[in-house]
Amino acid sequence: MKLAYWMYAGPAHIGTLRVASSFKNVHAIMHAPLGDDYFNVMRSMLERERDFTPVTASIVDRHVLARGSQEKVVENISRKDKEEEPDLILLTPTCTSSILQEDLQNFVERASLNCQSDVILADVNHYRVNELQAADRTLEQIVRFYLDKSKNQSVQTQNKTLKPSANIIGIFTLGFHNQHDCRELKRLLTDLNIQINEIIPEGGSVQNLKNLPKAWFNLVPYREIGLMTALYLEKNFNMPYVSTTPMGIIDTAVCIREICQTIQQVALTLQNQNSKDQSFENHLPFGGVENYIDRQTRFVSQAAWFSRSIDCQNLTGKKTVIFGDATHAAYITKILAREMGLRVSCAGTYCKHDADWFREQVQGFCDDVIISDDHTQVGDLIAKLEPSAIFGTQMERHIGKRLDIPCGVISAPVHIQNFPLGYRPFLGYEGTNQIADLVYNSFTLGMEDHLLEIFNGHDTKEVITKSLSTESGLNWTQQAQKELNNVPGFVRGKVKRNVEKYARQQKITNITIDIMYAAKEANS
Amino acid sequence: MKRLHIDQRSFKILKYKKKTKNMTTNILSNEKIVFECETGNYHTFCPISCVAWLYQKIEDSFFLVIGTKTCGYFLQNALGVMIFAEPRYAMAELEESDISAQLNDYKELKRICFQIKQDRNPSVIVWIGTCTTEIIKMDLEGMAPNIEKEIQIPIVVARANGLDYAFTQGEDTVLAALAQRCPTVPAQLNRRGETPSTLPDGEKNSSTLEGAKPLLHSGNKQPSLVLFGSVPNTVATQLSNELKLQGITVNGWLPAQRYNELPVLNENTYVCGINPFLSRTATTLMRRKKCKLIGAPFPIGPDGTRCWIEKICSVLNINPNNLLERETNIWNNLEEYLKLIQGKSVFFMGDNLLEISLARFLIRCGMIVYEIGIPYLDKRFQACELTLLKQTCIEMKVPMPRIVEKPDNYNQIQRIRELKPDLVITGLSLANPLEARGITTKWSVEFTFSQIHGFTNARDILELVTRPIRRNTNLTSLGWNTLVLK
């Protein structure tokens, strides 16, 4: 048992449901007790979804507990089959059904006998995987199911498209800015003269999954979801994939170069295979890849210019802490360290299952790495490091509020305000602009910063101590207190903590002005 | 377009609709309310959500939900930002080793409760049992007394799980468990002069102090009255004051603001509920605590509040004073809201058990109710409310609504499409999709989290009900009411 107040990644079935409800005309049936269908609330509220979420529950109640689900699950599946006529019904186990250990696979087989729809059982173990892993797994499972099916029916078309084309894998519902990222990726690929073959799962149809192998390669923008599918397609269909996330100027360039190399390789093999007169020479506009990257970097994206501008100078060396899912935390760390000259005191992720990859990515770009899914640990770390800004999830935003440290939200889990109506991609060249804005706006503006320091701040309120630890045992003399009040509000807490830390080290309990100055000298 | 699943009742519905729209039929007093029961495939919140309001109500409590990640994720998502205010609730998250009994439940729970004691030192820890603890048959009731002894903090066990209950019924299970901890004898009667800090341990008091009971009868003008149901403190004060105007003293509330202020309950206590979902609590109070239950409609809406007070007065042999004037005044003040909703139709999809009281109030306001969906209907506990509903229908000359227990959301949506009600009161998962189809909705959850009891708050109910209608008057002329492609 674990005492837990909050969690970064949700339970497994949420991941399965996110994938299922991203596809068009796929219905998920949860084997769950009453009230477990709150996924519908999340989707309807956070995504402001206009359509009914295609998720229903086959309710597990007292009766089911006593007698087993028996006909209930089968009935619910065939009922949905008639009502909604979905292409696929995905039976989704929950924590409850994992312990009931009913033979759900058997129900699925029985139901599929008299259903028009395909019926499969999501193969996820509630107690072993989290939301992200389950989503990755489910997506692969669905793709595999349909490719196997088309193989059996031998309708599968192995022919590649005439022009270079890509599948985008891993865009889905309730993902952090996924809709906007998807639009930006499409723009990027169109710029590179690459057709979009299929985008899965968001808005995709399972009937079209058989077309996946037609694409020249797969693009997997996020580390968490889609890699399993890409690996499966590579192994079984010899499809290469690009998994560098095009986030930040440098990595967008890396991603574009990888894409072009991949296309050239595929082009070569295709030429070997059929001698048809296909022109695979460089399709790229603007006279070649490097030229394109250069133009985009210097003139389309404002971020490269921003980091040269005198505004960004003030950010140089400022301390930050970064925390989020593996993809966003790793790439934002690289952007802040490489492209903006900030100092990343600590970068971390809650994706414990992907810790090695994360460490490797951020190595050399941050002082320290934290791998944890315990928000109190992250909170304590932030309190200890006292960065000038945090980039994290909604949880870090709240930690920041408590400690008076600004926070930019860069990763799920998120609230409704992170599903903006306006265009806010994190990927591609427009993404770099959005990230630069986010970073810049998170810090106190440069001039304001100076003026506050010179004129002792405009904050005349009493001292607010927002340290996480309440035990102090130190006594501030009246004069010292007054002096502390003169310190600008936004650094006051930090000064106070520094002085107290110093006093504790020196085993002093009475803090006078002299001690304050001594502390300042000792710290500098 | 999907083929439409034809509801076998659709013909009946259309007839019903005609009847309600024309309003020509005379309502006969012998017409009966139609009760139906569907499949139970509906959306509602898990009963563990009661933690959200109860931990705030009982200020010195700590709620420990013993369940899985699924429960935890529900609490943090459905209850939004409250988690960040250093909440006095947490999950004891069960892991694979707990499920397969590789770990000892007793030791694990003891460890966690010790930690809670150390971090927060609450006056009571409430264990919320979930589906998982039910299925693996974790003996929470058996373990609680022993751990309670070891950590010296009372542990109350409530099985608020989705296998048995819906949404607000969670509060019912907690209050029923708390009722058992209420002292049977006032502390000052038996341990005069001793520290009152020993008060919370009701069972200890009751066993040692049998002899003190007869004292209660002497010199008591009014028998003791305890109200049960968790409402914000302002509402509790408002309702108590309302009774005070009639010369009735409220001797206590279940739950009280603090655990050690739990009311005294014994065979001389009259109890009265203020929420329709508290049937288990009522049963416990009657059977275990020998209290006398005052069955009354619930104080929701001015009509409900008046009947509620009247009923309490009649039981306590008091002539109600100025009550009708008070009610009339309230109605007069609601005039502007009533204009907006009179003659409009409403459909309750059902998810929080407040539906019957709200429907009754809205009918009194002049609305027509097509259907009252409700998760569970205790006809005995809600008897007075049902009678008042029927009477209201007759007086307002509207047909009796259908009451659908354990509704089926899919069928309901078909009925909504046919009936085209002016307002659908529904959960969060269906509200946006219905709005996109041009159907006006109000989220039912808001009624649970708003102040809706008593005379004073009648305006708040109508504020909620009319909000989407007022929004419509602002936006209809724009012309984009349906926002999905046909």
Side-chain angles (χ1 to χ4, degrees), chain A residues 160-169 185-186 188-190 192-200 211-221 233 239-242 259 262-263 266:
Chain A
K160 297 286 173 198
T161 53
L162 278 177
K163 284 178 75 186
S165 60
N167 297 318
I168 302 176
I169 299 178
L185 287 177
K186 280 199 262 185
L188 183 69
L189 291 175
T190 314
L192 297 172
N193 245 337
I194 296 168
Q195 286 178 346
I196 312 287
N197 188 47
E198 294 287 333
I199 297 172
I200 58 166
N211 298 331
L212 281 176
K214 281 186 186 169
W216 288 29
F217 74 103
N218 294 312
L219 178 60
V220 186
L233 291 170
M239 289 178 78
Y241 67 88
V242 173
I259 288 173
T262 312
I263 283 178
V266 176

Coordinates of all heavy atoms in Angstrom, one line a residue, chain A residues 160-169 185-186 188-190 192-200 211-221 233 239-242 259 262-263 266:
Chain A
K160 N 4.2 1.1 -52.1 CA 4.4 2.4 -51.5 C 3.7 3.4 -52.4 O 3.4 3.2 -53.6 CB 5.9 2.7 -51.4 CG 6.7 1.7 -50.6 CD 6.4 2.0 -49.1 CE 7.0 0.9 -48.2 NZ 6.5 0.9 -46.9
T161 N 3.4 4.5 -51.8 CA 2.8 5.6 -52.5 C 3.8 6.1 -53.5 O 5.0 6.0 -53.3 CB 2.4 6.8 -51.6 OG1 3.5 7.1 -50.8 CG2 1.2 6.4 -50.7
L162 N 3.3 6.8 -54.6 CA 4.2 7.3 -55.6 C 5.2 8.3 -55.1 O 6.4 8.3 -55.2 CB 3.4 7.8 -56.8 CG 3.0 6.7 -57.8 CD1 2.1 7.4 -58.9 CD2 4.2 6.0 -58.4
K163 N 4.5 9.3 -54.4 CA 5.4 10.4 -53.8 C 5.7 10.0 -52.4 O 5.1 9.1 -51.8 CB 4.6 11.7 -53.8 CG 4.5 12.3 -55.2 CD 3.6 13.6 -55.1 CE 4.4 14.7 -54.4 NZ 3.5 15.9 -54.2
P164 N 6.8 10.5 -51.9 CA 7.2 10.2 -50.5 C 6.0 10.5 -49.5 O 5.3 11.6 -49.7 CB 8.3 11.2 -50.2 CG 8.8 11.6 -51.5 CD 7.7 11.5 -52.5
S165 N 5.8 9.7 -48.6 CA 4.6 9.9 -47.7 C 5.0 9.4 -46.3 O 5.9 8.6 -46.1 CB 3.4 9.1 -48.2 OG 3.7 7.8 -48.3
A166 N 4.2 9.9 -45.3 CA 4.5 9.6 -43.9 C 3.2 9.2 -43.2 O 2.2 9.8 -43.5 CB 5.2 10.7 -43.3
N167 N 3.3 8.4 -42.2 CA 2.3 8.2 -41.2 C 2.7 9.0 -39.9 O 3.8 8.9 -39.5 CB 2.1 6.8 -40.8 CG 1.7 5.9 -41.9 OD1 0.8 6.2 -42.7 ND2 2.3 4.7 -42.0
I168 N 1.7 9.7 -39.4 CA 2.0 10.3 -38.1 C 1.4 9.5 -37.0 O 0.2 9.3 -37.0 CB 1.5 11.8 -38.0 CG1 2.1 12.6 -39.2 CG2 1.8 12.4 -36.7 CD1 1.6 14.0 -39.3
I169 N 2.2 9.0 -36.1 CA 1.7 8.0 -35.1 C 1.8 8.6 -33.7 O 2.8 9.0 -33.3 CB 2.4 6.7 -35.2 CG1 2.3 6.1 -36.6 CG2 1.9 5.7 -34.1 CD1 3.0 4.8 -36.8
L185 N 2.8 19.6 -37.6 CA 3.6 18.6 -38.3 C 3.1 18.4 -39.7 O 3.9 18.2 -40.6 CB 3.4 17.2 -37.6 CG 4.1 17.1 -36.2 CD1 3.7 15.8 -35.6 CD2 5.6 17.2 -36.4
K186 N 1.8 18.5 -39.9 CA 1.3 18.4 -41.3 C 1.9 19.5 -42.2 O 2.3 19.3 -43.3 CB -0.2 18.5 -41.3 CG -0.9 17.2 -40.9 CD -2.4 17.2 -41.4 CE -3.3 17.6 -40.2 NZ -4.7 17.5 -40.6
L188 N 4.7 21.1 -41.7 CA 6.1 20.8 -41.9 C 6.3 19.8 -43.0 O 7.1 20.0 -43.9 CB 6.7 20.3 -40.6 CG 8.2 20.0 -40.5 CD1 9.0 21.3 -40.6 CD2 8.6 19.3 -39.3
L189 N 5.5 18.7 -42.9 CA 5.7 17.6 -43.9 C 5.3 18.2 -45.3 O 5.9 17.8 -46.3 CB 4.9 16.4 -43.6 CG 5.4 15.6 -42.3 CD1 4.5 14.5 -42.0 CD2 6.8 15.1 -42.6
T190 N 4.2 19.0 -45.4 CA 3.8 19.5 -46.7 C 4.9 20.4 -47.2 O 5.2 20.4 -48.4 CB 2.5 20.3 -46.5 OG1 1.6 19.6 -45.7 CG2 1.9 20.6 -47.8
L192 N 7.9 20.0 -46.8 CA 9.0 19.1 -47.3 C 8.5 18.2 -48.5 O 9.2 17.3 -48.9 CB 9.5 18.2 -46.2 CG 10.1 18.9 -45.0 CD1 10.3 17.9 -43.9 CD2 11.4 19.6 -45.4
N193 N 7.3 18.6 -49.0 CA 6.8 17.8 -50.1 C 6.5 16.4 -49.8 O 6.7 15.5 -50.7 CB 7.7 17.9 -51.3 CG 7.1 18.7 -52.5 OD1 5.9 18.7 -52.5 ND2 7.9 19.2 -53.3
I194 N 6.1 16.1 -48.6 CA 5.8 14.7 -48.2 C 4.3 14.6 -47.9 O 3.7 15.5 -47.3 CB 6.6 14.4 -46.9 CG1 8.1 14.4 -47.2 CG2 6.2 13.0 -46.4 CD1 8.9 14.3 -45.9
Q195 N 3.7 13.6 -48.5 CA 2.3 13.4 -48.3 C 2.0 12.8 -47.0 O 2.8 12.1 -46.4 CB 1.8 12.4 -49.4 CG 1.6 12.9 -50.7 CD 1.1 11.8 -51.7 OE1 1.2 10.6 -51.3 NE2 0.7 12.2 -52.9
I196 N 0.8 13.1 -46.4 CA 0.4 12.5 -45.2 C -0.4 11.3 -45.6 O -1.4 11.4 -46.3 CB -0.5 13.4 -44.4 CG1 0.1 14.8 -44.2 CG2 -0.7 12.8 -43.0 CD1 1.3 14.9 -43.3
N197 N 0.1 10.1 -45.2 CA -0.6 8.9 -45.5 C -1.7 8.7 -44.5 O -2.9 8.8 -44.8 CB 0.4 7.7 -45.5 CG -0.3 6.4 -46.0 OD1 -1.0 6.5 -47.0 ND2 -0.1 5.3 -45.3
E198 N -1.4 8.4 -43.3 CA -2.4 8.2 -42.2 C -1.9 8.9 -41.0 O -0.8 9.0 -40.7 CB -2.6 6.7 -41.9 CG -3.2 5.9 -43.0 CD -4.7 6.1 -43.2 OE1 -5.4 6.6 -42.3 OE2 -5.1 5.9 -44.4
I199 N -2.9 9.5 -40.2 CA -2.6 10.0 -38.9 C -3.4 9.1 -37.9 O -4.6 9.0 -38.0 CB -3.1 11.4 -38.8 CG1 -2.3 12.3 -39.7 CG2 -2.8 11.9 -37.3 CD1 -2.8 13.7 -39.8
I200 N -2.7 8.5 -37.0 CA -3.4 7.6 -36.0 C -2.9 8.0 -34.6 O -1.8 8.4 -34.4 CB -3.2 6.1 -36.3 CG1 -1.7 5.8 -36.3 CG2 -3.8 5.7 -37.6 CD1 -1.4 4.3 -36.2
N211 N -3.8 0.6 -44.8 CA -3.0 1.4 -45.7 C -1.7 1.9 -45.1 O -0.9 2.5 -45.8 CB -3.8 2.7 -46.1 CG -5.1 2.3 -46.9 OD1 -5.1 1.3 -47.5 ND2 -6.1 3.1 -46.7
L212 N -1.5 1.6 -43.8 CA -0.3 2.1 -43.1 C 1.0 1.8 -43.9 O 1.8 2.6 -44.0 CB -0.3 1.6 -41.7 CG -1.2 2.2 -40.6 CD1 -1.0 1.5 -39.3 CD2 -0.8 3.7 -40.5
P213 N 1.1 0.5 -44.3 CA 2.4 0.1 -45.0 C 2.7 0.9 -46.3 O 3.8 0.8 -46.8 CB 2.3 -1.4 -45.2 CG 1.2 -1.8 -44.3 CD 0.3 -0.7 -44.2
K214 N 1.7 1.6 -46.8 CA 1.9 2.3 -48.0 C 2.9 3.5 -47.8 O 3.5 4.0 -48.8 CB 0.6 2.9 -48.6 CG -0.3 1.9 -49.3 CD -1.5 2.6 -49.9 CE -2.4 1.6 -50.5 NZ -3.7 2.3 -50.8
A215 N 2.9 4.0 -46.6 CA 3.7 5.2 -46.4 C 5.2 4.8 -46.5 O 5.6 3.6 -46.3 CB 3.4 5.7 -45.0
W216 N 6.0 5.8 -46.8 CA 7.5 5.5 -46.9 C 8.1 5.4 -45.5 O 9.0 4.6 -45.3 CB 8.2 6.7 -47.6 CG 7.8 6.7 -49.1 CD1 6.7 6.2 -49.7 CD2 8.7 7.2 -50.1 NE1 6.8 6.4 -51.0 CE2 8.0 7.0 -51.3 CE3 10.0 7.7 -50.2 CZ2 8.6 7.3 -52.6 CZ3 10.5 8.1 -51.4 CH2 9.8 7.9 -52.6
F217 N 7.6 6.1 -44.6 CA 8.1 6.0 -43.2 C 7.1 6.5 -42.2 O 6.1 7.0 -42.5 CB 9.4 6.8 -43.1 CG 9.2 8.3 -43.0 CD1 9.3 9.0 -41.8 CD2 8.9 9.0 -44.2 CE1 9.0 10.4 -41.7 CE2 8.6 10.4 -44.1 CZ 8.7 11.1 -42.9
N218 N 7.4 6.2 -40.9 CA 6.5 6.7 -39.8 C 7.2 7.8 -39.0 O 8.4 7.7 -38.8 CB 6.2 5.5 -38.9 CG 5.4 4.4 -39.6 OD1 4.4 4.7 -40.2 ND2 5.8 3.2 -39.4
L219 N 6.4 8.7 -38.6 CA 6.9 9.8 -37.8 C 6.2 9.6 -36.4 O 5.0 9.6 -36.3 CB 6.6 11.2 -38.4 CG 7.0 12.4 -37.6 CD1 8.5 12.4 -37.4 CD2 6.6 13.7 -38.3
V220 N 7.1 9.5 -35.4 CA 6.5 9.3 -34.0 C 6.9 10.5 -33.2 O 8.0 10.6 -32.7 CB 7.1 8.0 -33.4 CG1 6.4 7.8 -32.0 CG2 6.8 6.8 -34.3
P221 N 6.1 11.5 -33.1 CA 6.5 12.7 -32.4 C 6.7 12.6 -30.9 O 7.5 13.4 -30.4 CB 5.4 13.7 -32.8 CG 4.2 12.9 -33.1 CD 4.7 11.6 -33.7
L233 N 5.8 -2.0 -37.0 CA 5.7 -1.8 -38.5 C 7.1 -1.9 -39.1 O 7.3 -2.4 -40.2 CB 5.2 -0.4 -38.8 CG 3.7 -0.2 -38.5 CD1 3.2 1.2 -38.6 CD2 2.8 -1.1 -39.4
M239 N 9.3 -0.9 -42.4 CA 9.2 0.6 -42.5 C 10.1 1.3 -41.5 O 10.0 1.0 -40.3 CB 7.7 0.9 -42.1 CG 6.7 0.5 -43.2 SD 5.1 1.0 -42.6 CE 5.0 2.7 -43.0
P240 N 10.9 2.2 -42.0 CA 11.7 3.0 -41.1 C 10.9 4.0 -40.3 O 9.8 4.3 -40.8 CB 12.7 3.7 -42.0 CG 12.0 3.7 -43.3 CD 11.1 2.6 -43.4
Y241 N 11.4 4.4 -39.2 CA 10.6 5.5 -38.5 C 11.6 6.6 -38.0 O 12.8 6.3 -37.8 CB 9.8 4.9 -37.3 CG 10.6 4.3 -36.2 CD1 11.0 5.2 -35.1 CD2 10.9 3.0 -36.2 CE1 11.7 4.6 -34.1 CE2 11.7 2.5 -35.1 CZ 12.0 3.3 -34.1 OH 12.8 2.8 -33.0
V242 N 11.0 7.8 -37.8 CA 11.8 8.9 -37.2 C 11.2 9.2 -35.9 O 10.0 9.5 -35.8 CB 11.7 10.1 -38.2 CG1 12.3 11.3 -37.5 CG2 12.4 9.8 -39.5
I259 N 14.4 12.8 -41.5 CA 13.3 12.5 -42.4 C 13.8 12.4 -43.8 O 13.5 11.5 -44.6 CB 12.2 13.6 -42.3 CG1 11.4 13.4 -41.0 CG2 11.2 13.5 -43.5 CD1 10.4 14.6 -40.7
T262 N 15.9 9.3 -44.4 CA 15.0 8.2 -44.5 C 14.4 8.1 -45.8 O 14.3 7.0 -46.5 CB 13.9 8.3 -43.4 OG1 14.5 8.6 -42.2 CG2 13.1 7.0 -43.3
I263 N 13.9 9.2 -46.3 CA 13.2 9.2 -47.6 C 14.2 8.8 -48.7 O 13.9 8.0 -49.6 CB 12.6 10.6 -47.9 CG1 11.4 10.8 -47.1 CG2 12.3 10.8 -49.4 CD1 10.7 12.1 -47.3
V266 N 14.7 5.1 -48.6 CA 13.5 4.4 -49.1 C 13.5 4.5 -50.6 O 13.2 3.5 -51.3 CB 12.2 4.9 -48.5 CG1 11.0 4.2 -49.1 CG2 12.2 4.7 -47.0

